[in-house]
Amino acid sequence: MRDQDEAQEKRTSRRAFLRAGLATGGAVLGGGALAAPQAAGNPKNQPPHVADWSRTLGDGVAVRAYGKPSKHEANVIRRDVQWLTAARESSVSFTPIHELDGIITPNGVCFERHHAGIAEIAPADYRLIVHGLVDKPLVFTLDDLKRMPRVNRAYFCECAANSGMEWRGAQLNGAQYTHGMVHCVMYTGVPLRVLLQEAGLKPNAKWLLLEGGDAAAMTRSLPLQKALDDALVAYRMNGEMLYPENGYPARIVLPGWEANMWVKWLRRIEVGDQPWHQREETSKYTDLLENGKARRFTYVMDAKSVITGPSPQAPLNHKSGFTVLSGLAWSGRGKIARVDVSLDGGRNWRTARLDGPVWDKALTRFYYEFDWDGRELLLQSRAMDESGYVQPTKNALRKIRGVNSIYHNNGIQTWHVHKSGEVENVEVS
Ligand code: MTE
Ligand code: CO
């Protein structure tokens, strides 16, 4: 029944799209009466006229030695929320996920989170020390790392505090702010396992301490099993060397695990037989429950999704008709198996279309095309991963976790689309 409904809906959408296409076609010929306001532009640059940019020579090669987006895309930037933190050196800026598509985050707009500002490290000065319960302590230079076996993998990196401001109710108006502490880039690096094999592990080795070279000297304990499984010491993102804000020249990549552990400006790895109980795994990055107890070492990021458009910063600027809904889904437990979308606050669900690669522990893009009748909508998306886990509602999450937490909020997000096309962050009960 559901499949039939969907097939029917797809046909309707297709027809609606064709209708819309014809209408626009007619409008252009008839003088643009139906053109959307933002598409109006300057008629002198539009057919049948020869546009300004066709009359003069443009910049030559290498004038733009390092390319930048068009000046018309000045909105596609990281943003911070100033009241969230006292100082920019210990703060966060969010990925403009509402302005992006596909699954790869461009390097210049990956969210950044630092506890003591960006460490500026000269590559020649960079050293990575591996010591503790090893046969021979080692010091690696950046060139040493680059001469070791190399892999390329795309992974999402999500701060455990992503959506952390939404525990007590809808608060921030924009997918960038509610869900933008996530990015997904193609890392190039050395499997951490290779470095550890080089140093030789003592039989009682069970945990690693990862330490950053920034002024915060960020330190986290890592179970050896993860280090031997899929952890990387990465020095490139999307082909380029890591950007300073993301840990230049080297950081740890822990696929599917909370980003706080992805130590940037990595300077030291100590091998031990038990966890160190550092600040970032006791006072912070633990999840306080209703009964006053706190969950600790909650490493994995559970399946989550968000509709990036329409969303508060990406409203609808047509009044009805063919509409493309787009969003992101991810899971720290593997691949995304399915994403469902609701237009009515979770009463009815339809299966979204996954498009582009569906990679293990990477962002996955979904779309849902529909014919908008111009009425109000309550948009939701619900991710399922290959382990069978289903993204919970915010209320289901609160029943178990209470509202004291900051971290690991993967509840279903609701966007209220008004008739005007404006979109608002809301909750449905
Ligand atoms: N590593 C160091 N050395 N110092 C830091 O402040 N912040 C952590 C982690 N690694 C941090 C760090 C946190 S809380 C997050 S969410 C991620 O880095 C953010 O990575 P990004 O800045 O590349 O997005
Ligand atoms: Co973080």
Side-chain angles (χ1 to χ4, degrees):
M1 189 57 214
R2 188 196 175 110
D3 286 345
Q4 271 176 11
D5 280 359
E6 269 175 31
Q8 176 62 34
E9 189 165 287
K10 271 193 194 123
R11 277 197 299 277
T12 326
S13 303
R14 178 80 190 127
R15 272 203 304 273
F17 180 61
L18 290 176
R19 265 203 315 275
L22 286 173
T24 314
V28 169
L29 293 177
L34 291 182
Q38 84 285 0
N42 179 358
K44 286 202 179 129
N45 280 329
Q46 296 166 9
H49 307 287
V50 175
D52 291 343
W53 52 83
S54 306
R55 296 172 186 275
T56 53
L57 284 174
D59 277 355
V61 296
V63 172
R64 306 176 190 196
Y66 191 95
K68 277 196 294 197
S70 156
K71 64 182 180 203
H72 304 291
E73 300 298 324
N75 251 338
V76 190
I77 50 169
R78 297 189 276 228
R79 292 184 177 85
D80 63 345
V81 175
Q82 289 197 11
W83 55 260
L84 263 184
T85 49
R88 282 214 159 121
E89 291 75 22
S90 177
S91 192
V92 56
S93 72
F94 301 87
T95 308
I97 51 174
H98 63 293
E99 295 275 13
L100 303 173
D101 216 320
I103 65 166
I104 295 293
T105 316
N107 288 342
V109 290
C110 285
F111 87 92
E112 349 141 61
R113 167 81 177 103
H114 352 104
H115 293 65
I118 300 168
E120 291 287 349
I121 300 175
D125 292 338
Y126 178 76
R127 296 291 183 276
L128 170 60
I129 303 159
V130 178
H131 69 125
L133 298 177
V134 293
D135 297 332
K136 47 177 176 112
L138 293 173
V139 178
F140 297 92
T141 65
L142 188 58
D143 284 339
D144 292 338
L145 295 180
K146 288 182 173 175
R147 285 193 298 113
M148 304 189 81
R150 209 179 288 171
V151 296
N152 293 292
R153 302 273 187 280
Y155 294 118
F156 78 81
C157 169
E158 184 187 17
C159 179
N162 200 19
S163 317
M165 290 74 76
E166 306 289 308
W167 274 105
R168 286 160 199 269
Q171 181 163 214
L172 297 172
N173 234 0
Q176 179 168 23
Y177 305 114
T178 56
H179 290 75
M181 284 166 89
V182 69
H183 51 62
C184 181
V185 309
M186 175 74 74
Y187 293 99
T188 305
V190 190
L192 178 52
R193 167 188 345 112
V194 175
L195 301 189
L196 297 174
Q197 277 160 1
E198 198 73 10
L201 292 169
K202 298 266 195 217
N204 53 339
K206 285 211 176 58
W207 288 81
L208 307 185
L209 184 74
L210 309 171
E211 185 181 85
D214 52 335
M218 266 248 346
T219 31
R220 288 280 320 237
S221 307
L222 177 72
L224 182 64
Q225 211 184 338
K226 181 71 173 174
L228 297 178
D229 180 12
D230 55 2
L232 304 177
V233 174
Y235 46 85
R236 290 186 182 273
M237 56 198 288
N238 294 331
E240 299 183 302
M241 284 302 285
L242 292 183
Y243 278 22
E245 49 271 47
N246 306 104
Y248 182 89
R251 83 176 304 168
I252 283 280
V253 168
L254 299 173
W257 286 25
E258 62 182 23
N260 178 255
M261 305 175 74
W262 295 41
V263 170
K264 303 192 278 190
W265 312 290
L266 181 69
R267 70 175 288 267
R268 188 167 74 92
I269 299 175
E270 185 177 343
V271 183
D273 58 1
Q274 53 190 332
W276 279 258
H277 306 292
Q278 293 287 330
R279 173 184 181 272
E280 304 287 312
E281 49 204 22
T282 52
S283 136
K284 306 289 175 202
Y285 300 94
T286 51
D287 316 321
L288 186 58
L289 303 175
E290 262 331 52
N291 64 6
K293 294 203 170 175
R295 304 191 314 170
R296 296 189 56 197
F297 298 132
T298 42
Y299 302 130
V300 178
M301 301 309 294
D302 282 317
K304 187 165 173 178
S305 66
V306 64
I307 293 168
T308 51
S311 66
Q313 299 157 287
L316 291 176
N317 41 37
H318 55 288
K319 296 293 175 223
S320 63
F322 192 79
T323 301
V324 177
L325 179 157
S326 173
L328 290 168
W330 61 95
S331 168
R333 296 185 198 277
K335 291 182 186 165
I336 286 295
R338 188 171 120 190
V339 178
D340 289 341
V341 165
S342 175
L343 307 184
D344 56 10
R347 254 173 255 151
N348 296 287
W349 293 94
R350 322 246 157 202
T351 303
R353 181 168 66 82
L354 306 184
D355 191 84
V358 178
W359 282 328
D360 186 43
K361 304 180 183 75
L363 292 185
T364 297
R365 176 61 59 178
F366 67 87
Y367 296 105
Y368 181 72
E369 290 93 359
F370 67 104
D371 190 10
W372 182 32
D373 59 11
R375 278 189 281 196
E376 296 191 15
L377 304 168
L378 288 170
L379 301 181
Q380 295 187 339
S381 63
R382 177 174 72 184
M384 279 156 254
D385 68 21
E386 60 181 348
S387 77
Y389 177 94
V390 181
Q391 185 184 358
T393 62
K394 288 190 177 178
N395 283 337
L397 203 58
R398 287 180 185 124
K399 262 196 198 136
I400 298 166
R401 302 268 309 280
V403 292
N404 294 329
S405 282
I406 300 171
Y407 310 108
H408 295 278
N409 181 351
N410 67 324
I412 291 174
Q413 173 66 44
T414 311
W415 301 131
H416 181 180
V417 180
H418 294 269
K419 283 185 191 152
S420 62
E422 282 163 300
V423 185
E424 212 183 332
N425 180 5
V426 298
E427 284 207 20
V428 289
S429 47

